[in-house]
Amino acid sequence: MSDLTKLTLTAALDGLDSKAFSSRELTQSFIEAIEASNDTLNAYVVKTPEKALAMADASDARRAAGQAGKLDGAPIGVKDLYCTKGVRTTACSEILGEFTPTYESTVTQNLWDAGAVMLGKLNMDEFAMGSSNETSRFGPPSNPWRRAGSNRALTSGGSSGGSATAVAADLCLAATASDTGGSIRQPAAFTGTVGIKPTYGRASRYGMVAFASSLDQAGPIAKTVEDAALLTEIMCSHDPEDSTSLPVATPDWRADVHKGVKGMKIGIPAEYRVDGMPQEIEDLWSQGIKWLQDMGAQIVNVSLPHTKYALPAYYIVAPAEASSNLARYDGMRFGQRVSGDDLTDTYQGTRASGFGAEVQRRLMIGTYVLSSGYYDAYYLRAQKVRTKILQDFQTVFADVDALLTPTCPSAAFAYGEKSGDPVQMYLNDIFTVTANLAGLPGISIPAALDGQGLPLGLQVIGKALDEATCFRVAGALEEAAGFVAKPERWW
Ligand code: GLN
């Protein structure tokens, strides 16, 4: 039998349906692929092969009984940010020690209810803070892609770098990820995969380790737009356990993927043409515009004047919320504890040893911008900017159906290339944070290889709750780009 791990999610489900192979066989192939590669790629921080095989057998039995769900038998990887009952969940932070949840996140429960099989927990930046996974307590995963003629290890982006590596290297059919400022879309762009951040509130945050609650959103990384559409449908649901979860139905978006863009109006925001943007990114963007035009879309130049304030606003709002959310890690309830002479000493010792440098930096920034005297100057002002950014989008969306931008200002970078300078690292999020600040859906699709042979992504941003249009435009771009490249295997 050909290598089952190379199948798309949709093709694998077809194969299970037609009894070409069983979920056990499929799952076994992934377990072997993970075993053979994890020392090198470091995508999984917890492997659950026995659980996976038990879930696969249960799935095969359901399918034989004619009771298969929409994802029945499909092996999936889970970002270590989702609480999984009985399986260690640490958001790749030392402070969570060996924390093993006694409950399941709503998103992962939705997957298991649809019949999916869990392969394990995927690497990420500590508490999802980062763009390269260099802040993971377990060390970073490697990008399966390398620059032509070079064997220098590249990051697979962040914070969902493990998810992106696993999907790109065929170590799962698809993976869950999460996006607070770009953590689904940027790793997808760096690895030639598809990633969507749905509208804020589409998916439940219940059981997701919190980073910045008003920005955090669950979504998948997958091999194709259709796979992403299916997984998004299953992951999203209204959940009374999350007060910001939207009481809306979750449609089947797969049909939208092939509807084409004829007659659609696509906006091109002038402000995303930033200083110092590499020519290759410019060229890719122009190519994307041409593809859409050739397929019958109308291109409209638009302006989102407050875009330049998005990154500074994000790096105030996100750390502010993080400093509040992460106050719960005090050595009393979860994971690690460093006992001191008194309570304050215990708090300080635990937090100083349990949080890594980037998390500590964010907590200090967040505490500072919320402190009395600075609150108005920083936090309140950032919130006002956030409203302006949302209003910019609302104005242009009165006229266009979706926006097309590059996903990132660069291709995958190497370890150490940006980690010495936090601002350089933060600048990588310049095109992605806007959708989080405005709560809008955004999808990244692999569109081309750069001169060094690395994947580049295009981003489609849609109106709130209009993932359908995102999938439609993304599907058209996927078809036009015909991106089929895979990393050459070195691991
Ligand atoms: N890279 C961004 C940050 O470091 C986004 C992270 C995310 O989306 N979780 O905050």
Side-chain angles (χ1 to χ4, degrees):
M1 203 177 301
S2 63
D3 188 351
L4 299 179
T5 63
K6 301 223 169 341
L7 294 172
T8 64
L9 171 63
T10 317
L13 288 166
D14 287 346
L16 289 166
D17 251 348
S18 65
K19 310 247 180 313
F21 45 81
S22 64
S23 176
R24 173 168 265 268
E25 286 169 306
L26 181 63
T27 303
Q28 192 63 48
S29 304
F30 281 107
I31 292 171
E32 284 163 20
I34 295 166
E35 272 316 311
S37 69
N38 217 48
D39 287 349
T40 326
L41 292 179
N42 200 22
Y44 284 84
V45 296
V46 178
K47 294 177 270 180
T48 55
E50 278 145 38
K51 190 177 174 71
L53 288 173
M55 289 173 96
D57 288 343
S59 167
D60 286 332
R62 276 193 302 272
R63 201 172 283 279
Q67 292 163 350
K70 283 192 172 181
L71 290 177
D72 231 299
I76 303 285
V78 176
K79 185 175 181 179
D80 198 31
L81 180 113
Y82 291 85
C83 284
T84 40
K85 190 174 176 180
V87 177
R88 192 187 70 193
T89 302
T90 65
C92 292
S93 178
E94 289 288 355
I95 207 155
L96 274 154
E98 293 300 306
F99 175 64
T100 303
T102 52
Y103 61 97
E104 191 76 27
S105 80
T106 299
V107 164
T108 47
Q109 189 61 52
N110 288 345
L111 295 176
W112 318 141
D113 288 348
V117 167
M118 174 160 101
L119 289 166
K121 305 298 289 288
L122 293 162
N123 212 340
M124 56 183 282
D125 277 297
E126 182 181 4
F127 285 111
M129 297 177 194
S131 304
S132 67
N133 277 204
E134 285 163 288
T135 72
S136 166
R137 112 188 211 196
F138 303 104
S142 277
N143 194 326
W145 293 87
R146 286 178 164 181
R147 293 174 183 143
S150 160
N151 57 10
R152 188 163 179 196
L154 304 180
T155 80
S156 41
S159 67
S160 310
S163 305
T165 289
V167 174
D170 299 319
L171 304 177
C172 56
L173 288 174
T176 70
S178 69
D179 192 312
T180 304
S183 281
I184 292 176
R185 292 161 285 157
Q186 182 252 25
F190 279 15
T191 55
T193 56
V194 177
I196 175 164
K197 178 198 94 69
T199 306
Y200 181 79
R202 263 280 185 207
S204 169
R205 289 180 294 107
Y206 178 75
M208 284 172 76
V209 176
F211 165 8
S213 302
S214 76
L215 302 161
D216 296 345
Q217 178 60 207
I221 291 182
K223 295 184 189 181
T224 65
V225 178
E226 191 169 347
D227 286 1
L230 171 60
L231 212 59
T232 309
E233 177 199 340
I234 307 298
M235 289 169 72
C236 295
S237 61
H238 173 57
D239 181 9
E241 299 284 0
D242 171 3
S243 60
T244 59
S245 155
L246 296 170
V248 292
T250 310
D252 176 351
W253 286 294
R254 267 173 301 171
D256 293 299
V257 175
H258 305 292
K259 280 189 182 154
V261 290
K262 207 169 172 20
M264 278 190 156
K265 277 170 106 175
I266 309 293
I268 308 301
E271 292 76 11
Y272 283 57
R273 194 156 276 118
V274 294
D275 283 348
M277 187 156 90
Q279 189 59 40
E280 283 180 313
I281 305 280
E282 282 267 5
D283 293 347
L284 173 79
W285 198 8
S286 305
Q287 178 64 69
I289 293 170
K290 185 158 186 316
W291 280 329
L292 293 176
Q293 250 166 349
D294 290 349
M295 288 184 286
Q298 188 190 336
I299 301 297
V300 185
N301 289 320
V302 298
S303 173
L304 298 166
H306 295 90
T307 301
K308 60 176 174 294
Y309 304 117
L311 203 59
Y314 171 83
Y315 276 99
I316 289 174
V317 174
E321 293 185 18
S323 74
S324 164
N325 272 327
L326 273 60
R328 74 190 67 173
Y329 304 108
D330 55 6
M332 302 298 140
R333 285 165 290 187
F334 309 92
Q336 192 170 286
R337 171 191 192 125
V338 177
S339 294
D341 293 340
D342 55 26
L343 188 63
T344 307
D345 211 29
T346 301
Y347 284 162
Q348 285 176 352
T350 300
R351 289 168 68 82
S353 78
F355 290 135
E358 179 62 23
V359 173
Q360 293 194 23
R361 178 181 298 121
R362 306 249 184 148
L363 297 183
M364 285 190 275
I365 294 171
T367 307
Y368 180 80
V369 300
L370 289 176
S371 60
S372 86
Y374 295 102
Y375 182 92
D376 289 0
Y378 292 104
Y379 184 70
L380 207 61
R381 188 169 293 180
Q383 292 290 30
K384 287 181 183 163
V385 168
R386 190 174 179 181
T387 305
K388 294 273 183 212
I389 288 167
L390 175 61
Q391 286 167 349
D392 282 356
F393 277 112
Q394 285 167 338
T395 306
V396 302
F397 278 134
D399 191 39
V400 301
D401 298 300
L403 299 166
L404 180 74
T405 78
T407 309
C408 300
S410 75
F413 46 87
Y415 292 108
E417 246 169 35
K418 294 187 193 292
S419 53
D421 181 351
V423 174
Q424 279 307 312
M425 191 70 90
Y426 299 166
L427 280 168
N428 213 252
D429 305 331
I430 195 152
F431 301 143
T432 49
V433 294
T434 51
N436 300 78
L437 288 168
L440 303 174
I443 185 167
S444 177
I445 326 99
L449 296 179
D450 72 359
Q452 298 186 301
L454 296 178
L456 298 174
L458 283 171
Q459 173 178 234
V460 180
I461 301 176
K463 298 175 188 171
L465 291 176
D466 191 15
E467 286 81 2
T469 296
C470 292
F471 285 123
R472 204 168 149 184
V473 180
L477 287 169
E478 180 181 54
E479 201 183 309
F483 185 94
V484 287
K486 292 287 277 181
E488 208 170 298
R489 198 177 166 136
W490 53 265
W491 58 91

